[in-house]
Amino acid sequence: ELEVSSAEQASESDEDFDFLADTDECSTKLDLARAYIDMGDDEGARDILGEVLEEGNDQQQQEARTLMEQLG
C-alpha cells in the first residue's frame, strides 16, 4: 500500500510540474519574441506570439496581444 501511495504522490507532483513547465515555456517564448522584435524579425516574433496566444495563461496572452499590437 505504501508503494501505491508513493506512486499517486509522484503522479500528482508530475501534474504540478507539467503546469509549471507550460507556464515557464510560454514565459520563455515571450522573452524570445521580444528578442526577435529587437533583432527586427517581426515574422518570427508573430509566430511565437501566436503560440503564446494558444498555450499561455491569461496574463501571458494579454502580453502577447500587446506585443502583436506594437508590431502592427
Side-chain angles (χ1 to χ4, degrees), residues 33-41:
R34 285 189 206 92
Y36 278 16
I37 292 168
D38 289 344
M39 293 186 306
D41 184 355

Side-chain angles (χ1 to χ4, degrees), residues 40-55:
D41 184 355
D42 293 354
E43 185 177 336
R46 279 190 191 91
D47 288 345
I48 293 171
L49 292 170
E51 292 177 22
V52 174
L53 289 173
E54 291 177 16
E55 302 165 7

Side-chain angles (χ1 to χ4, degrees), residues 4-67:
V4 172
S5 296
S6 295
E8 287 175 10
Q9 287 177 346
S11 177
E12 289 174 14
S13 295
D14 288 347
E15 289 172 17
D16 290 345
F17 179 75
D18 287 345
F19 171 75
L20 293 172
D22 289 345
T23 302
D24 212 33
E25 184 177 337
C26 285
S27 200
T28 300
K29 286 181 180 182
L30 283 168
D31 289 340
L32 185 58
R34 285 189 206 92
Y36 278 16
I37 292 168
D38 289 344
M39 293 186 306
D41 184 355
D42 293 354
E43 185 177 336
R46 279 190 191 91
D47 288 345
I48 293 171
L49 292 170
E51 292 177 22
V52 174
L53 289 173
E54 291 177 16
E55 302 165 7
N57 63 30
D58 290 344
Q59 181 180 352
Q60 291 165 332
Q61 289 177 7
Q62 181 56 48
E63 195 166 341
R65 279 191 286 276
T66 300
L67 289 170

